[in-house]
Amino acid sequence: MASGSRRSNAEAGIPAGLLHGLPASSWASPALAPLKWWHASAGQAAEPASKEVAAAGRAAVANWEVQQVAILDVARAFEEHDVEAAFLKGTDLNLRCYPLPGLRPMADADVLVAAGRLPRVARLLGELGYVNRDRPDDPAANTAFEHDFHHPGLGVDLDVHTAVDWQEGLGTTTDELLERREFHETSGVPLLTLPDLLMNVATHALRDFREASTLAIVDAHYVLEALERDWEGILETAGRWKARPALRLLLERLRRFGGAEIPQHVLEDLDTGWLSRRMSRWLGSS
């Protein structure tokens, strides 16, 4: 299935709810500085971006240009050799969700493949110049479903996932996610469906909420914009993933700190009782 380049209105700037709901220090962080730089460059800010914020923005866009070349090369190689794959998180957020590609910083690219394809994937990546950086003494938990590859010439990292998270905690499998995948309309890069991307953001954020919640909140805003807030489809996918508590927590954070209008019936549908409320209290969302 082809997926269009659905993204938020690039002329509108950062929504006021996000801009004023998150701490000022968050917008100066490397994770969000590129978006703040774009906001100021578009003439939407009260004052120009600082030198540090502008430098972070330009660096993120330049990094995306390099990452994109590597992503396209890998996607073509996988397609030519019948390897079903889907690029995750930062790649998808840049291609379809954030106002402009590159505004969502990426330390590396992440790609999902079936576990049975891993030997072929390793061989193909080797032919493209990648080196596997997994070590024999790595803890088993580190390589349970994620393998680290590096391209010395391009200076880029690629994390190959055989699952999006610990499989026993999810209600959907890698095979199911790859069967539903879409292809970006202009680049042809394989991606998760947008509802699956939102669940990936929500479940991944659980591990980082106390330290790095702001980026997940901003990610969620732009995925919801790209989804045009299709709540029925979102709720259906949350049930399929068994991700109702994670998504409820993320949406609560987005409503509180990002000023988003989340229908009450959506939060009620996602409420799993004591688990959702306990998670919210533990993470300081309510």
Side-chain angles (χ1 to χ4, degrees):
M1 179 185 298
S3 173
S5 302
R6 293 172 283 185
R7 62 175 71 249
S8 302
N9 184 355
E11 305 299 325
I14 301 170
L18 277 180
L19 189 61
H20 303 298
L22 297 178
S25 58
S26 296
W27 292 109
S29 70
L32 298 183
L35 195 61
K36 185 70 177 291
W37 164 72
W38 161 79
H39 182 74
S41 300
Q44 300 293 333
E47 57 187 30
S50 68
K51 291 182 179 179
E52 293 77 11
V53 168
R58 287 190 287 268
V61 172
N63 179 62
W64 167 251
E65 294 299 325
V66 177
Q67 293 273 11
Q68 189 176 28
V69 171
I71 289 164
L72 290 172
D73 285 345
V74 171
R76 280 193 291 265
F78 285 1
E79 182 71 17
E80 290 171 1
H81 292 85
D82 298 320
V83 174
E84 289 189 343
F87 283 83
L88 307 171
K89 296 182 296 187
T91 299
D92 199 345
L93 290 161
N94 273 310
L95 285 174
R96 292 194 293 183
C97 301
Y98 272 59
L100 292 174
L103 293 181
R104 206 293 192 169
M106 293 172 55
D108 51 39
D110 298 88
V111 63
L112 178 68
V113 302
R117 292 293 197 184
L118 196 56
R120 180 179 294 189
V121 165
R123 177 177 59 80
L124 290 174
L125 292 177
E127 292 173 357
L128 290 174
Y130 286 84
V131 177
N132 186 343
R133 296 202 297 193
D134 293 342
R135 298 181 307 181
D137 59 344
D138 279 342
N142 289 10
T143 56
F145 54 83
E146 184 175 338
H147 302 272
D148 180 20
F149 290 82
H150 176 72
H151 194 297
L154 294 175
V156 299
D157 294 321
L158 178 69
D159 284 348
V160 177
H161 299 252
T162 54
V164 292
D165 212 319
W166 292 101
Q167 196 60 58
E168 58 269 27
L170 297 176
T172 192
T173 67
T174 295
D175 288 343
E176 289 168 345
L177 291 171
L178 293 176
E179 185 177 352
R180 295 196 294 267
R181 67 182 179 153
E182 303 175 341
F183 292 86
H184 187 243
E185 187 175 66
T186 54
S187 68
V189 171
L191 307 166
L192 297 180
T193 66
L194 281 169
D196 284 332
L197 170 63
L198 181 60
M199 301 311 132
N200 189 202
V201 170
T203 54
H204 187 76
L206 277 181
R207 291 176 288 181
D208 305 320
F209 253 136
R210 278 188 154 172
E211 291 80 19
S213 63
T214 52
L215 182 58
I217 291 169
V218 176
D219 286 349
H221 164 79
Y222 284 113
V223 180
L224 286 173
E225 286 290 296
L227 271 167
E228 298 178 347
R229 285 170 165 74
D230 173 18
W231 295 117
E232 182 177 352
I234 289 168
L235 291 173
E236 178 184 349
T237 307
R240 183 185 295 158
W241 273 63
K242 296 182 181 177
R244 290 177 184 274
L247 182 59
R248 182 177 186 269
L249 179 60
L250 182 60
L251 294 181
E252 281 185 342
R253 281 265 169 123
L254 183 56
R255 182 171 69 169
R256 179 176 176 183
F257 300 114
E261 295 183 5
I262 309 296
Q264 186 60 31
H265 77 85
V266 171
L267 295 177
E268 291 173 355
D269 192 286
L270 294 170
D271 189 0
T272 55
W274 69 270
L275 178 59
S276 294
R277 289 190 291 274
R278 185 172 182 181
M279 285 169 57
S280 295
R281 287 195 299 271
W282 179 61
L283 292 165
S285 291
S286 60

